[in-house]
Amino acid sequence: MTATLTRRGVLAAGTALAAAPLAAPAIAQGAPLKIGVITTLSGPGGYLGADARDALLLAAEMNDGRLGGVPVQFLVEDDALRPAQGKQIAERFLRNERIRLFTGIIFSNVLGAAAPDVLDAGGVYVSCNAGPSNFAGRECRPNYFVISWQNDNLHESAGALANIMGYRRVFILAPNYQAGRDALTGFKRLFQGTVTNEVYTRLDQTDYAAEMAQIRAARPDAVYHFHPGGLGIAFIRQYAQAGLLGTIPQVLPAASMDVRTLAAVGDAAEGVDLSSHWNSDFDNEQNRRFVAAFRQKYNRIPTYYAQQAYDTALAIGAALRGAGGTVDNTDAFRTAMLRADFPSTRGNFRFGPNQHPIQDWFALKVERVGGQLALVTKRKILENHADAYAGQCRI
Amino acid sequence: MALLLEQLLNGVQLGVTLFLLAAGLTLVFGIMGVINLAHGSLYMIGAFAAAWVAAQTGSVLLALASGLAAAAAIGMAIEYVMLRRLYARDHLDQVLATFGLILFFNQGITILFGRQPLFVNLPEFLSGAVEILPGVPYPVYRLVIIAAGLLVALGLYVLIQRTRIGMLVRAGATHREMVRALGVDIRLLYTLVFGLGALLAGFAGVMAGPVYSVNVGMGEQILILTFVVVVIGGVGSIRGAMFGALLVGIVDTLLRAYVPGLLRGVMDASQADMLGAGLASMGVYLLMALVLLLKPRGLFPAHA
């Protein structure tokens, strides 16, 4: 609703401006820089996009509506996890709103459809979540930046965690789409044991009974599964109902167990091990400020989707500051962006040669803190970890 | 063998959930000639009402009752306010109007409950697993779903075949004008039939809540499979919906469980898994195409 209203408002304002004979000087008086936010706000993944949007808005609000000293305005639209819809929004933003700077996409399949349109039109895309492998290697693009992580990295860290936990035989599952395939590839890259089964579920699947039966029959040491948003809630609840919880432990990427999943899954999640690049309990100045502001404004703990979007806003701010407050000169914007001159909420952050992050990865565990279940950071798993595709990128 | 049995049970359980949805859809489709895309919204409404009441009161019975009541009441309201005006129009108008309802209800639920999925906790006595065979535990709740679905099927059969209301429903489907000429209030009958369909969809939603996550858009996820069931079973036929649903449920589950394994014999494991997953999700649509090829009006056409 907010998205539509904002858009209406903008259209109305645009009409009013066009009606006035002195439309051009309005820009000189500091009309805000428009940033297109295409994100998933409905369906099982709906809260992921809502968290990203809320964090973007928060970042601007904390700086009086400015990023890098430039007044900004976010135009938010829902892609409903449909690649075609994401592509349409991108085209409309480019053509009607003349937007040059985009972010917000959560799901890799939507990014795969929408981002090329933005880049081909000379725009800039700064990813706050999706980091599919096909954009990280040979097909990397100069105006495409990823602030979150290259998809494989999250799952490589889970593979490394499985090694540390001493699991030898692991049953792995992910939805059958770009990020799901990246997930299983990533997990297998660093996992040193045997993969007993490799199962692809559907991105719109709600019932995992067939998979539960297969897991029971395979008797692995542990189960690794990548199921973001509502998928993960359904999967883990059914895992508990099938009686697997007490017998086969899970080792998860952060996507399958964020704070919202945790709240919905409840007690069944206690003791689960997972890997992440960030957690709300990180003890650095920037993160404390972000988490406190987010909790105060929205009355909930931010997920990592929110954290990544917040970092994305900071990165955009730093790049805008370095590029003279516009995205008109994309070379200047790029040079400024690659300096990563912003204090990341995750601490250690810099860009690799393919404009994807090089960062540390951590083990988290679901534990009781003061009676409440929470994600608690335990140890560092990987340090200054880059992705496997960086070498193939020639920019 | 034990694994096959478990997968068959899973298939039957998916089947009865689909049946609850398909029964209402096929009744409305076959009897009133209305394509109701918003059927999935009624499923969502039932699930949300039950989840909310369960969270507030902790009572299973209250949750069940409110889920059913909300879905049936909203269903009848939709019929009374909107669909009534669309019976005489062509299918495109109906599709547009009911598609509009999907957007309306999705947005409404988002405003009321937010985008975060809800989850329903099962009561203690339903949450465990029983051993159906030595060494094969199966969730009690899924057995309850199967039993409830089969009971509803039996109840519907009795209602349609053995009662006066059922007779009117059948007559209304085939000889609408004649029924009206005999002095039956066909408009009231349609509202009741639509309410019954909505009630069944709501029941499916209530039952699905504790297994799946309750979220905005959950109805559209399952609606497509439900349409497949209706087409395979034959439009307007409750019996067709029953067999169609079981067929789709079992075929879908078994394909997902066994196709990757079979392909592994002939190709590299990770490729087999990826291809298998693709084939399995195509499976039910291939089944539908096959059925339509052999029996263009479905397995059990209502007015053959």
Side-chain angles (χ1 to χ4, degrees), chain A residues 1 41-44 46-47 50 53 78 176 181 188 196-200 202-214 216-217 230 233-234 237-238 241-242 260 263-264, chain B residues 3 6-7 10 13-14 107 115-117 119-122 127-129 135 137 139 142 210-213 215-217 221 225 252-253 256-257 264 269-270 273-274 277-278 280-281:
Chain A
M1 207 64 211
L41 295 171
S42 48
Y47 74 88
R53 174 199 59 195
D78 177 17
N176 194 6
R181 293 189 287 271
K188 288 187 290 184
T196 61
N197 295 60
E198 190 176 331
V199 170
Y200 286 97
R202 284 201 301 263
L203 196 49
D204 60 352
Q205 192 166 329
T206 48
D207 191 347
Y208 297 96
E211 286 76 13
M212 297 306 157
Q214 285 173 275
R216 188 177 301 112
I233 299 175
R237 288 306 296 239
Q238 290 173 35
Q241 285 167 10
R260 309 284 278 275
Chain B
L3 184 62
E6 189 177 352
Q7 297 291 24
N10 289 334
Q13 184 254 315
L14 176 61
Q107 199 59 51
R115 298 182 194 281
Q116 180 173 4
F119 219 97
V120 192
N121 280 316
L122 278 175
S127 58
R142 285 181 188 263
V211 184
Y212 314 146
S213 73
N215 54 258
V216 175
Q221 289 177 322
L225 266 190
D252 187 59
T253 306
R256 264 198 291 146
R264 270 170 179 239
S270 78
D273 289 327
M274 208 181 294
S281 42

Coordinates of all heavy atoms in Angstrom, one line a residue, chain A residues 1 41-44 46-47 50 53 78 176 181 188 196-200 202-214 216-217 230 233-234 237-238 241-242 260 263-264, chain B residues 3 6-7 10 13-14 107 115-117 119-122 127-129 135 137 139 142 210-213 215-217 221 225 252-253 256-257 264 269-270 273-274 277-278 280-281:
Chain A
M1 N 0.8 -1.2 0.0 CA 0.0 0.0 0.0 C 0.9 1.2 0.0 O 0.7 2.1 -0.8 CB -0.9 0.0 1.3 CG -2.2 0.7 1.1 SD -3.2 -0.1 -0.2 CE -4.0 1.3 -0.9
L41 N 7.3 -8.1 -1.8 CA 6.6 -7.7 -0.6 C 5.4 -8.7 -0.4 O 4.7 -8.5 0.6 CB 6.1 -6.3 -0.8 CG 7.2 -5.2 -0.8 CD1 6.6 -3.9 -1.2 CD2 7.8 -5.1 0.5
S42 N 5.1 -9.6 -1.3 CA 4.0 -10.5 -1.1 C 4.4 -11.9 -1.2 O 5.5 -12.2 -1.8 CB 2.9 -10.2 -2.0 OG 3.3 -10.1 -3.3
G43 N 3.6 -12.9 -0.7 CA 3.9 -14.3 -0.7 C 4.8 -14.7 0.5 O 5.1 -13.8 1.3
P44 N 5.3 -15.9 0.5 CA 6.0 -16.4 1.6 C 7.3 -15.6 1.8 O 7.8 -15.6 2.9 CB 6.4 -17.8 1.2 CG 5.5 -18.2 0.1 CD 5.1 -16.9 -0.6
G46 N 7.5 -12.4 1.5 CA 7.1 -11.0 1.5 C 7.8 -10.2 2.6 O 8.1 -9.0 2.5
Y47 N 8.0 -10.8 3.8 CA 8.6 -10.1 4.9 C 10.1 -9.8 4.6 O 10.6 -8.8 5.2 CB 8.4 -10.8 6.2 CG 9.3 -12.0 6.5 CD1 10.5 -11.9 7.1 CD2 8.8 -13.3 6.2 CE1 11.3 -13.0 7.3 CE2 9.6 -14.4 6.4 CZ 10.8 -14.2 7.0 OH 11.6 -15.3 7.3
A50 N 10.0 -6.5 2.8 CA 9.5 -5.5 3.7 C 10.6 -5.0 4.7 O 10.8 -3.9 5.0 CB 8.3 -6.0 4.5
R53 N 13.1 -2.9 2.6 CA 12.5 -1.6 2.4 C 12.6 -0.7 3.6 O 13.0 0.4 3.6 CB 11.1 -1.7 1.9 CG 10.3 -0.4 1.8 CD 8.8 -0.6 1.8 NE 8.4 -1.2 3.0 CZ 7.2 -1.8 3.2 NH1 6.3 -1.8 2.3 NH2 6.9 -2.3 4.4
D78 N 6.4 -3.8 -5.6 CA 6.4 -5.2 -5.2 C 6.6 -6.1 -6.5 O 5.7 -6.0 -7.4 CB 5.1 -5.6 -4.5 CG 5.0 -7.0 -4.2 OD1 6.0 -7.7 -4.2 OD2 3.9 -7.5 -3.9
N176 N 14.6 -25.3 -6.5 CA 15.2 -25.4 -7.9 C 15.1 -24.1 -8.6 O 14.2 -23.9 -9.4 CB 14.4 -26.5 -8.6 CG 15.1 -26.9 -9.9 OD1 16.3 -26.4 -10.1 ND2 14.5 -27.8 -10.7
R181 N 20.5 -23.5 -6.8 CA 21.6 -24.2 -7.4 C 22.9 -23.7 -7.0 O 23.8 -24.4 -6.7 CB 21.4 -24.2 -9.0 CG 20.2 -24.9 -9.5 CD 20.2 -25.0 -11.0 NE 19.9 -23.7 -11.6 CZ 18.7 -23.3 -11.9 NH1 17.6 -24.1 -11.6 NH2 18.4 -22.2 -12.5
K188 N 28.8 -27.7 -1.4 CA 29.7 -28.8 -1.8 C 31.1 -28.3 -2.0 O 32.0 -29.1 -1.8 CB 29.2 -29.5 -3.0 CG 27.9 -30.3 -2.8 CD 27.5 -31.1 -4.0 CE 27.0 -30.2 -5.1 NZ 26.5 -30.9 -6.3
T196 N 24.9 -37.3 0.9 CA 24.2 -38.6 0.7 C 23.1 -38.4 -0.4 O 22.9 -39.2 -1.3 CB 23.5 -39.0 2.0 OG1 22.6 -38.0 2.4 CG2 24.5 -39.3 3.1
N197 N 22.4 -37.3 -0.3 CA 21.4 -37.0 -1.3 C 21.4 -35.5 -1.6 O 21.7 -34.7 -0.7 CB 19.9 -37.3 -0.8 CG 19.7 -38.7 -0.5 OD1 20.4 -39.3 0.3 ND2 18.7 -39.3 -1.2
E198 N 21.0 -35.1 -2.8 CA 21.0 -33.7 -3.2 C 19.6 -33.5 -3.8 O 19.3 -34.1 -4.9 CB 22.1 -33.5 -4.3 CG 22.3 -32.1 -4.6 CD 23.5 -32.0 -5.6 OE1 24.4 -32.9 -5.6 OE2 23.5 -31.1 -6.4
V199 N 18.7 -32.8 -3.1 CA 17.3 -32.8 -3.5 C 17.0 -31.3 -3.8 O 17.2 -30.4 -3.1 CB 16.4 -33.3 -2.4 CG1 14.9 -33.0 -2.7 CG2 16.6 -34.8 -2.2
Y200 N 16.3 -31.1 -5.0 CA 15.8 -29.8 -5.4 C 14.3 -29.8 -5.1 O 13.6 -30.6 -5.7 CB 16.1 -29.5 -6.8 CG 17.6 -29.1 -7.0 CD1 18.5 -30.1 -7.5 CD2 18.0 -27.9 -6.7 CE1 19.8 -29.8 -7.7 CE2 19.3 -27.5 -6.9 CZ 20.2 -28.5 -7.4 OH 21.5 -28.1 -7.5
R202 N 10.6 -27.3 -4.9 CA 10.1 -26.3 -5.7 C 10.0 -25.0 -5.0 O 9.8 -25.0 -3.8 CB 8.7 -26.6 -6.2 CG 8.6 -27.6 -7.3 CD 7.3 -27.6 -8.0 NE 6.2 -27.8 -7.2 CZ 5.6 -29.0 -7.1 NH1 6.0 -30.0 -7.7 NH2 4.6 -29.1 -6.3
L203 N 10.2 -23.8 -5.7 CA 10.2 -22.5 -5.0 C 8.8 -22.2 -4.4 O 8.7 -21.4 -3.5 CB 10.6 -21.5 -6.0 CG 11.1 -20.1 -5.4 CD1 12.0 -20.3 -4.3 CD2 11.6 -19.2 -6.5
D204 N 7.8 -22.9 -5.0 CA 6.4 -22.6 -4.4 C 5.9 -23.8 -3.6 O 4.7 -23.9 -3.4 CB 5.4 -22.3 -5.6 CG 5.3 -23.5 -6.6 OD1 6.1 -24.4 -6.4 OD2 4.5 -23.4 -7.5
Q205 N 6.8 -24.6 -3.2 CA 6.4 -25.8 -2.4 C 6.0 -25.5 -1.0 O 6.6 -24.7 -0.4 CB 7.5 -26.8 -2.4 CG 7.1 -28.2 -2.0 CD 8.2 -29.2 -2.4 OE1 8.9 -29.1 -3.4 NE2 8.4 -30.3 -1.6
T206 N 4.9 -26.2 -0.5 CA 4.5 -25.9 0.9 C 4.6 -27.2 1.7 O 4.7 -27.2 2.9 CB 3.1 -25.4 1.0 OG1 2.3 -26.2 0.2 CG2 3.0 -24.0 0.5
D207 N 4.6 -28.4 1.0 CA 4.5 -29.6 1.7 C 5.8 -30.4 1.4 O 6.1 -30.7 0.3 CB 3.3 -30.4 1.2 CG 3.1 -31.6 2.1 OD1 4.0 -31.9 3.0 OD2 2.0 -32.3 2.1
Y208 N 6.5 -30.7 2.5 CA 7.8 -31.4 2.4 C 7.8 -32.8 2.9 O 8.9 -33.4 3.2 CB 8.9 -30.6 3.1 CG 9.1 -29.2 2.5 CD1 8.5 -28.1 3.0 CD2 9.9 -29.0 1.4 CE1 8.6 -26.8 2.5 CE2 10.0 -27.8 0.8 CZ 9.4 -26.7 1.4 OH 9.6 -25.4 0.8
A209 N 6.6 -33.4 3.0 CA 6.5 -34.7 3.5 C 7.4 -35.7 2.7 O 8.0 -36.6 3.3 CB 5.0 -35.2 3.5
A210 N 7.3 -35.6 1.4 CA 8.1 -36.6 0.6 C 9.6 -36.5 0.9 O 10.3 -37.5 1.0 CB 7.9 -36.3 -0.9
E211 N 10.1 -35.3 1.1 CA 11.5 -35.1 1.4 C 11.8 -35.6 2.8 O 12.9 -36.2 3.1 CB 11.9 -33.6 1.4 CG 12.0 -33.0 -0.1 CD 10.6 -32.8 -0.7 OE1 9.6 -32.8 0.0 OE2 10.6 -32.6 -1.9
M212 N 10.9 -35.4 3.8 CA 11.1 -35.9 5.2 C 11.3 -37.4 5.1 O 12.2 -38.0 5.8 CB 9.9 -35.6 6.1 CG 9.7 -34.1 6.3 SD 11.1 -33.2 6.8 CE 10.8 -31.6 6.3
A213 N 10.5 -38.1 4.4 CA 10.6 -39.6 4.3 C 12.0 -40.0 3.7 O 12.6 -40.9 4.2 CB 9.5 -40.1 3.4
Q214 N 12.4 -39.2 2.7 CA 13.7 -39.5 2.1 C 14.8 -39.3 3.1 O 15.8 -40.1 3.1 CB 14.0 -38.6 0.9 CG 13.2 -39.1 -0.4 CD 13.3 -38.0 -1.5 OE1 12.6 -37.0 -1.5 NE2 14.3 -38.3 -2.4
R216 N 14.7 -39.5 6.3 CA 14.7 -40.6 7.3 C 15.3 -41.8 6.8 O 16.1 -42.5 7.4 CB 13.2 -40.9 7.8 CG 13.2 -41.8 9.0 CD 11.9 -42.1 9.5 NE 11.2 -40.9 10.0 CZ 10.1 -40.4 9.5 NH1 9.6 -41.0 8.4 NH2 9.6 -39.3 9.9
A217 N 15.0 -42.1 5.5 CA 15.5 -43.3 4.9 C 17.0 -43.2 4.7 O 17.8 -44.2 4.8 CB 14.8 -43.6 3.6
G230 N 9.1 -17.9 4.2 CA 8.1 -18.9 4.6 C 8.4 -20.3 4.3 O 7.9 -21.2 5.0
I233 N 10.1 -21.8 7.3 CA 9.2 -22.0 8.4 C 8.5 -23.3 8.2 O 8.5 -24.2 9.1 CB 8.2 -20.9 8.6 CG1 9.0 -19.5 8.8 CG2 7.2 -21.1 9.7 CD1 8.1 -18.3 8.8
A234 N 7.9 -23.5 7.0 CA 7.2 -24.7 6.8 C 8.1 -25.9 6.9 O 7.8 -26.9 7.5 CB 6.6 -24.6 5.4
R237 N 9.1 -26.7 10.6 CA 8.0 -27.2 11.4 C 7.7 -28.6 11.0 O 7.4 -29.5 11.8 CB 6.8 -26.3 11.1 CG 6.9 -25.0 11.8 CD 7.1 -25.1 13.3 NE 6.1 -25.8 14.0 CZ 5.4 -25.2 15.0 NH1 5.6 -24.0 15.3 NH2 4.4 -25.9 15.6
Q238 N 7.7 -28.9 9.7 CA 7.4 -30.3 9.2 C 8.5 -31.2 9.6 O 8.3 -32.4 9.9 CB 7.2 -30.3 7.7 CG 5.9 -29.6 7.4 CD 5.7 -29.4 5.9 OE1 6.1 -30.3 5.1 NE2 5.1 -28.3 5.5
Q241 N 7.6 -32.1 13.1 CA 6.5 -33.0 13.1 C 6.8 -34.4 12.7 O 6.2 -35.3 13.2 CB 5.3 -32.4 12.3 CG 4.6 -31.2 12.9 CD 3.8 -30.5 11.9 OE1 3.5 -30.9 10.8 NE2 3.3 -29.3 12.3
A242 N 7.7 -34.5 11.8 CA 8.1 -35.8 11.3 C 9.0 -36.6 12.3 O 9.4 -37.7 12.1 CB 8.8 -35.7 10.0
R260 N 12.8 -13.9 12.1 CA 11.4 -14.1 11.9 C 11.0 -15.6 11.8 O 10.0 -16.0 12.4 CB 10.9 -13.4 10.7 CG 11.4 -11.9 10.6 CD 10.6 -11.0 11.5 NE 9.3 -10.7 10.9 CZ 9.2 -9.6 10.0 NH1 10.2 -8.9 9.7 NH2 8.0 -9.3 9.5
A263 N 11.0 -16.9 15.3 CA 9.8 -16.6 16.1 C 8.7 -17.5 15.7 O 7.9 -18.0 16.5 CB 9.4 -15.1 15.9
A264 N 8.6 -17.8 14.4 CA 7.5 -18.6 13.9 C 7.7 -20.1 14.2 O 6.7 -20.8 14.5 CB 7.3 -18.5 12.4
Chain B
L3 N 9.2 -47.2 3.1 CA 9.3 -45.8 2.5 C 8.2 -45.6 1.5 O 7.6 -44.5 1.5 CB 10.7 -45.7 1.8 CG 11.0 -44.3 1.3 CD1 11.0 -43.2 2.4 CD2 12.3 -44.3 0.5
E6 N 5.0 -44.9 3.3 CA 5.0 -43.5 3.9 C 4.7 -42.5 2.8 O 4.0 -41.5 3.0 CB 6.4 -43.2 4.5 CG 6.4 -42.0 5.3 CD 7.7 -41.7 6.1 OE1 8.5 -42.6 6.1 OE2 7.8 -40.6 6.6
Q7 N 5.4 -42.7 1.6 CA 5.2 -41.7 0.5 C 3.7 -41.8 0.0 O 3.2 -40.8 -0.4 CB 6.2 -42.0 -0.6 CG 7.6 -41.8 -0.3 CD 8.0 -40.4 0.0 OE1 7.2 -39.5 0.3 NE2 9.3 -40.0 -0.1
N10 N 1.7 -39.8 2.3 CA 1.9 -38.4 2.0 C 1.1 -38.0 0.8 O 0.5 -36.9 0.8 CB 3.4 -38.1 1.7 CG 4.3 -38.2 3.0 OD1 3.8 -38.0 4.1 ND2 5.5 -38.6 2.8
Q13 N -2.5 -37.7 1.7 CA -2.7 -36.5 2.6 C -2.8 -35.2 1.7 O -3.7 -34.4 1.9 CB -1.7 -36.4 3.6 CG -1.9 -35.3 4.6 CD -0.9 -34.1 4.3 OE1 0.3 -34.4 4.1 NE2 -1.4 -32.9 4.3
L14 N -1.9 -35.1 0.8 CA -1.9 -34.0 -0.2 C -3.2 -34.0 -1.0 O -3.9 -33.0 -1.2 CB -0.7 -34.0 -1.1 CG -0.6 -32.9 -2.2 CD1 -0.6 -31.5 -1.6 CD2 0.6 -33.1 -3.1
Q107 N -4.4 -7.9 0.0 CA -4.0 -6.6 0.5 C -4.7 -6.4 1.9 O -4.1 -6.0 2.9 CB -4.4 -5.5 -0.4 CG -3.7 -4.2 -0.1 CD -2.2 -4.3 -0.2 OE1 -1.7 -4.8 -1.2 NE2 -1.5 -3.9 0.8
R115 N 2.9 -9.0 6.7 CA 3.4 -9.9 5.7 C 4.0 -11.1 6.4 O 4.4 -12.1 5.7 CB 4.4 -9.2 4.8 CG 3.7 -8.1 4.0 CD 4.7 -7.5 3.1 NE 4.2 -6.2 2.6 CZ 3.3 -6.2 1.6 NH1 2.9 -7.3 1.0 NH2 2.9 -5.0 1.2
Q116 N 4.3 -11.0 7.7 CA 5.0 -12.1 8.3 C 4.1 -13.4 8.4 O 3.0 -13.3 8.8 CB 5.4 -11.7 9.7 CG 6.2 -12.8 10.4 CD 6.7 -12.4 11.7 OE1 6.5 -11.2 12.2 NE2 7.4 -13.2 12.4
P117 N 4.6 -14.5 8.0 CA 3.8 -15.7 8.1 C 3.5 -16.0 9.5 O 4.2 -15.8 10.4 CB 4.8 -16.8 7.5 CG 5.9 -16.1 6.8 CD 6.0 -14.7 7.5
F119 N 2.2 -18.9 12.4 CA 2.3 -20.3 12.5 C 1.4 -20.8 13.7 O 1.4 -20.2 14.7 CB 3.8 -20.8 12.7 CG 3.9 -22.0 12.0 CD1 4.5 -22.1 10.7 CD2 3.5 -23.2 12.5 CE1 4.6 -23.2 10.0 CE2 3.6 -24.4 11.8 CZ 4.1 -24.4 10.5
V120 N 0.8 -21.9 13.4 CA -0.2 -22.5 14.4 C 0.5 -23.6 15.1 O 1.1 -24.5 14.5 CB -1.4 -23.0 13.7 CG1 -2.5 -23.3 14.7 CG2 -1.9 -22.0 12.6
N121 N 0.5 -23.5 16.4 CA 1.0 -24.6 17.2 C 0.0 -25.7 17.3 O -1.2 -25.5 17.6 CB 1.5 -24.2 18.6 CG 2.8 -23.5 18.5 OD1 3.7 -24.0 17.9 ND2 2.9 -22.4 19.2
L122 N 0.4 -27.0 17.2 CA -0.5 -28.1 17.3 C -0.7 -28.4 18.8 O 0.2 -28.2 19.6 CB 0.1 -29.3 16.7 CG 0.0 -29.5 15.2 CD1 0.7 -30.7 14.7 CD2 -1.5 -29.6 14.8
S127 N 0.5 -33.6 18.2 CA 1.8 -33.2 17.7 C 2.8 -34.3 17.5 O 3.8 -34.1 16.9 CB 2.3 -32.0 18.5 OG 2.5 -32.5 19.8
G128 N 2.5 -35.4 18.1 CA 3.6 -36.5 18.0 C 3.5 -37.3 16.7 O 2.9 -36.9 15.7
A129 N 4.2 -38.4 16.7 CA 4.2 -39.3 15.6 C 3.9 -40.7 16.1 O 4.2 -41.0 17.2 CB 5.6 -39.3 14.9
G135 N 9.4 -49.0 13.1 CA 10.4 -48.2 12.6 C 10.0 -47.2 11.6 O 10.9 -46.5 11.1
P137 N 7.8 -44.0 11.9 CA 6.9 -43.1 12.5 C 6.2 -42.2 11.5 O 6.8 -41.9 10.5 CB 7.8 -42.3 13.4 CG 9.2 -42.4 12.8 CD 9.2 -43.6 12.0
P139 N 3.6 -38.6 11.3 CA 2.9 -37.6 12.1 C 1.4 -37.9 12.3 O 0.7 -38.1 11.4 CB 3.1 -36.3 11.3 CG 4.3 -36.6 10.4 CD 4.2 -38.0 10.1
R142 N -1.0 -35.6 10.3 CA -1.3 -35.9 8.9 C -2.3 -37.0 8.8 O -3.1 -37.0 7.8 CB 0.0 -36.2 8.2 CG 0.9 -35.0 8.0 CD 2.2 -35.3 7.2 NE 3.0 -34.2 7.2 CZ 3.1 -33.4 6.1 NH1 2.4 -33.6 5.0 NH2 3.9 -32.3 6.1
P210 N -1.4 -25.7 10.5 CA -0.3 -26.2 11.3 C 0.8 -26.9 10.5 O 1.9 -27.1 11.1 CB -1.0 -27.2 12.3 CG -2.4 -26.9 12.2 CD -2.6 -26.3 10.8
V211 N 0.6 -27.3 9.3 CA 1.6 -28.0 8.5 C 2.4 -27.0 7.7 O 3.6 -27.0 7.7 CB 1.0 -29.0 7.6 CG1 2.1 -29.8 6.9 CG2 0.1 -30.0 8.4
Y212 N 1.7 -26.1 7.0 CA 2.4 -25.2 6.1 C 2.5 -23.8 6.9 O 1.9 -23.7 7.9 CB 1.6 -25.0 4.8 CG 1.2 -26.2 4.1 CD1 0.0 -26.3 3.4 CD2 1.9 -27.4 4.2 CE1 -0.4 -27.5 2.8 CE2 1.5 -28.6 3.6 CZ 0.4 -28.6 2.9 OH 0.0 -29.7 2.3
S213 N 3.1 -22.9 6.3 CA 3.1 -21.6 7.0 C 1.9 -20.8 6.4 O 1.5 -20.9 5.3 CB 4.4 -20.8 6.7 OG 4.5 -20.3 5.4
N215 N 0.5 -17.6 5.2 CA 0.9 -16.3 4.8 C 0.1 -15.8 3.6 O -0.7 -16.5 3.0 CB 2.4 -16.4 4.4 CG 2.7 -17.5 3.4 OD1 3.2 -18.5 3.7 ND2 2.3 -17.2 2.1
V216 N 0.2 -14.5 3.4 CA -0.5 -13.9 2.3 C -0.1 -14.5 1.0 O 1.1 -14.7 0.8 CB -0.2 -12.4 2.3 CG1 -0.8 -11.7 1.0 CG2 -0.7 -11.7 3.5
G217 N -1.0 -14.9 0.2 CA -0.7 -15.5 -1.1 C -0.7 -17.0 -1.1 O -0.4 -17.7 -2.1
Q221 N -0.8 -20.3 -4.4 CA 0.2 -21.4 -4.5 C -0.5 -22.7 -4.8 O -0.1 -23.6 -5.6 CB 1.0 -21.6 -3.3 CG 2.0 -20.4 -3.1 CD 2.8 -20.6 -1.8 OE1 2.2 -21.0 -0.8 NE2 4.0 -20.2 -1.8
L225 N -2.8 -26.2 -8.7 CA -3.0 -27.6 -8.6 C -4.5 -28.0 -8.5 O -4.9 -29.0 -9.0 CB -2.3 -28.1 -7.3 CG -0.8 -28.6 -7.5 CD1 -0.4 -29.3 -6.3 CD2 -0.8 -29.6 -8.7
D252 N 2.1 -36.7 -7.8 CA 3.0 -35.6 -7.5 C 4.0 -36.0 -6.4 O 5.2 -35.9 -6.6 CB 2.2 -34.4 -7.0 CG 3.1 -33.1 -6.8 OD1 3.7 -32.8 -7.8 OD2 3.2 -32.6 -5.7
T253 N 3.5 -36.7 -5.4 CA 4.4 -37.1 -4.3 C 5.4 -38.2 -4.8 O 6.6 -38.1 -4.5 CB 3.6 -37.6 -3.1 OG1 2.7 -36.6 -2.7 CG2 4.5 -37.9 -1.9
R256 N 8.1 -36.8 -7.1 CA 9.1 -36.1 -6.4 C 10.0 -37.0 -5.6 O 11.2 -36.8 -5.5 CB 8.4 -35.1 -5.4 CG 8.2 -33.7 -5.9 CD 8.0 -32.8 -4.8 NE 6.7 -33.0 -4.2 CZ 6.4 -32.8 -2.9 NH1 7.4 -32.4 -2.1 NH2 5.2 -33.0 -2.4
A257 N 9.5 -38.1 -5.1 CA 10.3 -39.0 -4.3 C 11.2 -39.9 -5.1 O 12.3 -40.2 -4.7 CB 9.4 -39.8 -3.4
R264 N 19.3 -41.1 -11.4 CA 20.6 -41.3 -10.9 C 21.3 -42.5 -11.5 O 22.6 -42.6 -11.6 CB 20.7 -41.4 -9.4 CG 20.8 -40.1 -8.7 CD 20.6 -40.3 -7.2 NE 20.7 -39.0 -6.6 CZ 21.6 -38.7 -5.6 NH1 22.4 -39.7 -5.2 NH2 21.6 -37.6 -5.1
A269 N 24.9 -37.5 -10.5 CA 23.9 -37.3 -9.4 C 23.3 -36.0 -9.4 O 22.1 -35.8 -9.3 CB 24.6 -37.7 -8.1
S270 N 24.1 -34.9 -9.4 CA 23.5 -33.6 -9.2 C 22.7 -33.2 -10.4 O 21.7 -32.5 -10.3 CB 24.6 -32.6 -8.9 OG 25.2 -32.2 -10.1
D273 N 19.4 -35.0 -10.0 CA 18.5 -34.4 -9.1 C 17.8 -33.2 -9.6 O 16.6 -32.9 -9.4 CB 19.3 -34.0 -7.8 CG 19.7 -35.3 -7.0 OD1 18.9 -36.2 -7.1 OD2 20.7 -35.3 -6.4
M274 N 18.6 -32.4 -10.4 CA 18.0 -31.2 -11.0 C 16.9 -31.5 -12.0 O 15.8 -31.0 -12.0 CB 19.1 -30.3 -11.5 CG 18.8 -28.8 -11.5 SD 20.1 -27.8 -12.2 CE 21.4 -28.1 -11.1
A277 N 13.8 -33.1 -10.4 CA 12.9 -32.1 -9.8 C 12.1 -31.4 -10.9 O 10.9 -31.2 -10.7 CB 13.8 -31.1 -9.0
G278 N 12.7 -31.1 -12.0 CA 12.0 -30.5 -13.1 C 10.9 -31.4 -13.6 O 9.7 -31.0 -13.8
A280 N 9.5 -33.9 -12.1 CA 8.4 -34.1 -11.1 C 7.4 -33.0 -11.1 O 6.2 -33.2 -11.0 CB 9.1 -34.4 -9.8
S281 N 7.9 -31.8 -11.2 CA 7.0 -30.7 -11.2 C 6.2 -30.6 -12.4 O 5.1 -30.0 -12.5 CB 7.6 -29.4 -10.8 OG 8.8 -29.2 -11.4

